[in-house]
């Protein structure tokens, strides 16, 4: 076959630089020798080491008590890594960008607002009576319905530019938050107390009873995403090309928004709002997965989320000596990364 | 066969397309030509069900494109848009492999790999197969996208300006490949091209659009006339016989009939600066 392409590398580079369709990309650390599978195994091994260190090192006092506490916290971190990591990657894929995240678009503020309104209209007593898993499920279902309707409308293509979307998302988030604060002022103190304990989940004092059901939901979502991994891959090509390949874009968007709302609700209910954690994890997993394929990127996001949380918690607790700081540190680093990427790309 | 029935497209109050009614017969190469903004891409994306018409309907091979299952359509018709952006970082081979999705749903079989290799070879992308798309020149990237659509191996192939960014050699090669696909594999190929001479040399039918409607349609010989082309493109065009083919030639000093005033304004502005 005749060689058709004899351009020198220089000419190629010039052509690429001149092409208007070229996107500025994050620099990929080049470790081309490692296959995507090997990378997953490597990170998984690191997670296991980190988890073992976290569980068994520096135990003071009762072994059983410490392990029990740490296991609960490890469970919470697992759920947080899964929900935030996968939720953000899937959100990036269906909305075809890598900057906006569910949290930035106000998903968790919406959750807070709905919780607040529920207490406002039905009272703290109702909240206390319907305690437990049915309530958690009802709340989650409500959140999912509202978020899906709202964000489907937002992403149905009426806001041409991502910048406008970002703005709308931030404004929505702020509006939801202010409204929540306002309604919370109107609550009587007992109701407010009840609400506050519900709302501000913390990773360090997670309700252990919720972990099994949360894990079950994660498994269901995981199976669903795994079965759709190839379809998610096609969505990376954008709405039109995915449609050309026979993927019903609107249906995928709706399904994935339901999944994302579910994951965010779960995460917020369990460990409280986290704005930039999912963002960091998603961006890192694109770099480290070594492929665009969701079969690798999704597990990588989960594992990197675990690694960040477990290793971070371990270091903070035993090296720095301030165990409650983890989410603050993550939000701080994540926020800086978010702004840095925004500035560097100059566009979304 | 592609049938277009009373199709219109409006944005707000402005109707940019139609009403258009017509048919594109099965088999052969059909070229859509016309000036910028004539509605070529709009018509093609409506046929390819990427855009919903404001009114009217389109059927391709008997399937209503708005009603039929997306997957069934994808196995019969493929479309490449004028502009293509991708967020992810893909190699050429990975992109082309996506063309097999309608058949394999992502799990590539040997048959799929054969089609991918064939499409890569077809467009001379073999040596570039493992390169990332952002490491290609504009023309190379364009060929990669066309290869993806060809790997889809559909009866109907719609291409919006596939010759974009291609040099003369690759443009000729691609047109010959498309011609072969129509002649040897019986595919129905619809392309949008700006070079009227390329359209005339390779297509069985030419559809000339203007102001959102079909102004003329017919064989290359019927359309390659000075009066028709001058009217459609709103600029003086002569047609000469060269090497046995009709060749359209523009007048280097021509000023468009309707844009005269604007042009002279601009020129005088430039002159006065
Ligand atoms: N989203 C939109 N909103 C409003 N007007 C639009 C939109 N998309 C296209 N148009 C208008 O529709 C008309 C037809 O556009 P179309 O893209 O079909 O032209 P075209 O024939 O493909 O032109 P070109 O040769 O430049 O590609 C143009 O006047 C364009 O401005
Ligand atoms: Mg066009």
């Amino acid at each position: 076959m005749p060689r058709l392409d004899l351009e020198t590398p220089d000419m190629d580079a010039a052509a690429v630089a001149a092409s208007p369709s070229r996107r500025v990309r994050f620099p990929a650390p080049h470790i081309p020798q490692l296959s995507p599978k090997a990378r997953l195994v490597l990170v998984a091994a690191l997670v296991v080491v980190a988890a073992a260190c976290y569980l068994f090192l520096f135990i003071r006092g009762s072994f059983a008590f410490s392990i029990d506490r740490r296991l609960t916290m490890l469970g919470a971190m697992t759920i947080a890594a899964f929900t935030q990591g996968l939720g953000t990657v899937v959100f990036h894929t269906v909305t075809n960008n890598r900057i906006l995240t569910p949290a930035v678009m106000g998903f968790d503020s919406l959750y807070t607002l709905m919780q607040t309104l529920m207490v406002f209209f039905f009272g703290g007593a109702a909240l206390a009576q319907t305690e437990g898993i049915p309530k958690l499920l009802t709340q989650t279902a409500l959140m999912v319905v509202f978020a899906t309707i709202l964000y489907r409308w937002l992403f149905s293509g009426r806001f041409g530019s991502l910048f406008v979307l970002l703005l709308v998302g931030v404004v929505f988030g702020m509006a939801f938050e202010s409204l929540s604060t306002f309604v919370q002022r109107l609550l009587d103190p007992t109701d407010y107390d009840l609400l506050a304990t519900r709302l501000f989940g913390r990773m360090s004092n997670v309700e252990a009873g919720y972990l099994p059901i949360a894990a079950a939901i994660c498994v269901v979502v995981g199976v669903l995403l795994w079965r759709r991994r190839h379809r998610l891959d096609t969505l990376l090509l954008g709405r039109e090309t995915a449609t050309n390949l026979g993927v019903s874009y609107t249906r995928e968007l709706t399904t994935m928004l339901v999944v994302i709302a579910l994951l965010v609700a779960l995460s917020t209910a369990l460990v409280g709002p986290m704005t930039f954690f999912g963002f960091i994890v998603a961006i890192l997993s694109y770099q480290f997965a070594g492929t665009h394929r969701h079969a690798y990127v999704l597990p990588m996001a989960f594992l990197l989320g675990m690694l960040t949380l477990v290793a971070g918690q371990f270091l903070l607790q035993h090296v720095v000596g301030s165990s409650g700081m983890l989410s603050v540190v993550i939000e701080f680093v994540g926020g800086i990364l978010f702004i840095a990427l925004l500035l560097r790309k100059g566009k979304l | 066969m592609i049938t277009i029935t009373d199709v219109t497209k409006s944005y707000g109050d402005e109707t940019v397309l139609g009403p258009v009614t017509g048919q594109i017969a099965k088999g052969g190469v059909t070229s859509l030509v016309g000036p910028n903004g004539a509605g070529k891409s709009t018509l093609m994306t409506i046929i390819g069900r990427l855009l919903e018409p404001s009114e009217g309907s389109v059927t391709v091979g008997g399937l209503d494109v708005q009603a039929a299952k997306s997957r069934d359509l994808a196995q019969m018709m493929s479309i490449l848009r004028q502009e293509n952006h991708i967020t992810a970082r893909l190699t050429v081979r990975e992109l082309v492999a996506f063309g097999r999705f309608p058949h394999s749903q992502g799990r590539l079989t040997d048959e799929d790999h054969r089609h991918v290799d064939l499409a890569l070879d077809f467009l001379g992308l073999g040596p570039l197969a493992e390169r990332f798309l952002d490491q290609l020149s504009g023309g190379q990237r364009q060929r990669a996208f066309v290869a993806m659509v060809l790997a889809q191996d559909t009866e109907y192939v719609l291409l919006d300006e596939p010759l974009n960014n291609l040099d003369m050699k690759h443009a000729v090669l691609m047109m010959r490949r498309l011609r072969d696909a129509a002649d040897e594999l019986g595919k129905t190929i619809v392309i949008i091209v700006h070079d009227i001479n390329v359209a005339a040399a390779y297509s069985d039918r030419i559809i000339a659009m203007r102001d959102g409607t079909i102004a003329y349609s017919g064989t290359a010989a019927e359309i390659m006339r000075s009066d028709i082309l001058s009217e459609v493109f709103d600029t003086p065009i002569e047609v000469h016989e060269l090497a046995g083919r009709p060749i359209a030639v523009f007048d280097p000093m021509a000023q468009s009939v309707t844009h005269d005033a604007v042009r002279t304004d601009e020129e005088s502005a430039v002159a006065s600066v």
Side-chain angles (χ1 to χ4, degrees):
Chain A
M1 207 195 72
R3 285 259 318 168
L4 294 173
D5 303 286
L6 298 171
E7 289 98 327
T8 65
D10 286 346
M11 283 170 66
D12 263 13
V16 168
S19 153
S21 68
R22 181 172 183 264
R23 300 241 171 139
V24 184
R25 275 162 224 281
F26 318 135
H30 274 296
I31 334 168
Q33 284 79 14
L34 282 183
S35 73
K37 211 172 270 172
R39 292 164 184 236
L40 276 184
V41 172
L42 191 74
V43 179
L46 288 177
V47 169
V48 170
V49 171
C53 289
Y54 173 71
L55 281 180
F56 300 117
L57 291 187
F58 301 111
I59 289 183
R60 271 176 235 108
S62 156
F63 182 80
F65 176 75
S66 290
I67 289 290
D68 200 47
R69 244 185 67 100
R70 290 181 182 188
L71 270 178
T72 305
M73 174 113 180
L74 190 66
M77 291 195 274
T78 310
I79 304 287
F82 187 93
T83 51
Q84 294 280 331
L86 270 62
T88 309
V89 169
V90 170
F91 188 79
H92 280 174
T93 297
V94 293
T95 58
N96 212 351
N97 83 93
R98 288 185 167 178
I99 292 287
L100 305 184
T101 68
V104 171
M105 292 301 292
F107 266 71
D108 44 7
S109 324
L110 178 61
Y111 176 81
T112 310
L113 176 63
M114 296 197 42
Q115 298 286 307
T116 309
L117 287 180
M118 219 169 317
V119 175
F120 182 73
F121 286 118
F122 303 112
L127 196 78
Q129 273 165 17
T130 56
E131 196 45 67
I133 286 164
K135 198 201 82 195
L136 185 77
L137 292 184
T138 322
Q139 286 175 354
T140 312
L142 258 176
M143 154 79 182
V144 166
V145 170
F146 272 91
T148 306
I149 293 172
L150 174 65
Y151 289 99
R152 227 192 87 128
W153 174 76
L154 268 182
F155 284 103
S156 59
R158 83 196 55 236
F159 300 100
S161 109
L162 275 172
F163 266 123
V164 180
L165 258 180
L166 173 63
L167 205 65
V168 171
V170 170
V171 169
F172 270 34
M174 273 167 23
F176 295 152
E177 239 154 66
S178 322
L179 201 59
S180 305
T181 316
F182 173 70
V183 175
Q184 282 164 14
R185 296 269 155 83
L186 303 179
L187 294 176
D188 70 58
T190 29
D191 281 357
Y192 180 76
D193 276 352
L194 273 168
L195 178 69
T197 53
R198 289 282 131 263
L199 264 189
F200 310 114
R202 297 274 308 276
M203 214 170 310
S204 42
N205 60 1
V206 157
E207 189 117 11
Y210 286 164
L211 284 178
I213 180 88
I217 295 178
C218 285
V219 168
V220 172
V221 167
V223 170
L224 182 120
L225 289 179
W226 182 254
R227 293 173 55 106
R228 289 180 179 254
R229 63 195 186 280
H230 297 299
R231 246 177 284 178
L232 285 169
D233 290 346
T234 65
L235 293 179
L236 289 174
L237 304 178
R239 177 194 208 120
E240 268 98 6
T241 310
T243 308
N244 169 50
L245 295 176
V247 174
S248 165
Y249 178 79
T250 344
R251 200 170 62 208
E252 291 308 311
L253 177 68
T254 312
T255 315
M256 289 308 150
L257 283 175
V258 169
V259 166
I260 292 160
L262 188 65
L263 291 175
V264 172
L266 204 59
S267 163
T268 317
L270 219 57
V271 297
M274 287 195 277
T275 309
F276 292 115
F277 172 55
F279 177 75
I280 303 188
V281 167
I283 294 294
L284 288 179
S285 65
Y286 303 135
Q287 307 292 313
F288 285 108
T291 171
H292 64 279
R293 289 161 64 194
H294 285 81
Y296 297 99
V297 175
L298 290 175
M300 184 59 91
F302 169 53
L303 289 175
L304 285 176
M306 281 291 279
L307 192 62
T308 313
L309 289 178
V310 178
Q313 179 67 20
F314 178 74
L315 290 178
L316 280 181
Q317 201 164 329
H318 301 298
V319 180
V320 186
S322 53
S323 60
M325 291 276 290
L326 180 61
S327 46
V328 179
V329 172
I330 287 180
E331 293 300 276
F332 181 66
V333 175
I336 290 178
L337 181 67
F338 181 78
I339 291 172
L341 284 183
L342 257 188
L343 290 179
R344 248 197 65 194
K345 293 184 83 176
K347 60 175 186 183
L348 291 174
Chain B
M1 187 160 73
I2 300 173
T3 42
I4 303 157
T5 316
D6 293 327
V7 166
T8 64
K9 181 70 195 176
S10 316
Y11 294 101
D13 292 338
E14 196 194 354
T15 301
V16 299
L17 181 73
V20 172
T21 298
Q23 295 181 339
I24 298 175
K26 196 165 160 2
V29 177
T30 303
S31 292
L32 281 176
V33 301
N36 291 146
K40 307 180 292 296
S41 299
T42 307
L43 180 60
M44 185 174 273
T45 41
I46 288 175
I47 296 174
R49 54 99 165 71
L50 302 184
L51 188 68
E52 222 179 303
S54 304
E55 272 165 61
S57 66
V58 171
T59 66
V60 174
L63 293 181
D64 183 327
V65 295
Q66 287 300 319
K69 281 223 311 246
S70 197
R71 187 175 165 188
D72 295 343
L73 281 167
Q75 291 178 352
M76 193 170 66
M77 165 178 74
S78 51
I79 174 168
L80 179 69
R81 287 176 15 111
Q82 193 167 351
E83 311 265 338
N84 295 282
H85 299 294
I86 293 188
T87 333
R89 196 157 188 265
L90 300 179
T91 65
V92 174
R93 183 182 297 279
E94 286 169 338
L95 178 74
V96 176
F98 269 116
R100 298 305 299 165
F101 187 84
H103 306 279
S104 62
Q105 301 295 305
R107 288 178 199 81
L108 296 190
T109 62
D110 288 346
E111 166 85 358
D112 292 319
H113 286 297
R114 207 175 53 75
H115 275 285
V116 170
D117 287 335
L118 212 63
L120 285 169
D121 269 0
F122 216 67
L123 291 161
L125 289 167
L128 300 175
E130 312 309 326
R131 286 251 209 117
F132 284 102
L133 289 177
D134 58 1
Q135 298 169 336
L136 298 182
S137 75
Q140 293 167 341
R141 199 174 312 124
Q142 177 72 8
R143 273 150 53 206
F145 277 101
V146 174
M148 173 180 81
V149 169
L150 292 187
Q152 210 172 325
D153 191 31
T154 52
E155 236 177 285
Y156 295 84
V157 181
L158 315 177
L159 302 169
D160 194 343
E161 300 196 20
L163 305 183
N164 244 351
N165 290 321
L166 294 196
D167 61 36
M168 203 178 279
K169 168 183 165 181
H170 286 103
V172 168
L173 271 177
M174 183 174 299
M175 289 308 295
R176 286 199 36 201
R177 297 303 198 185
L178 295 176
R179 189 67 255 172
D180 290 348
D183 293 340
E184 286 159 25
L185 307 173
K187 297 194 183 297
T188 308
I189 296 185
V190 183
I191 55 172
I192 295 177
V193 269
H194 274 297
D195 188 330
I196 180 79
N197 291 323
V198 170
Y202 292 98
S203 31
D204 301 297
R205 289 171 299 269
I206 295 181
I207 296 175
M209 295 191 63
R210 196 187 156 139
D211 296 336
T213 56
I214 296 179
Y216 295 93
S217 81
T219 63
E222 287 164 357
I223 301 296
M224 289 298 280
R225 284 175 29 194
S226 175
D227 53 338
I228 291 181
L229 295 182
S230 302
E231 180 196 328
V232 168
F233 289 99
D234 188 29
T235 189
I237 295 176
E238 292 170 24
V239 178
H240 296 286
E241 182 102 0
L242 204 69
R245 294 189 287 129
I247 300 288
V249 192
F250 63 91
D251 171 1
M253 307 305 283
Q255 308 216 335
S256 117
V257 189
T258 46
H259 290 124
D260 264 355
V262 181
R263 283 284 293 273
T264 26
D265 277 0
E266 274 171 10
E267 273 162 16
S268 52
V270 169
S272 64
V273 165

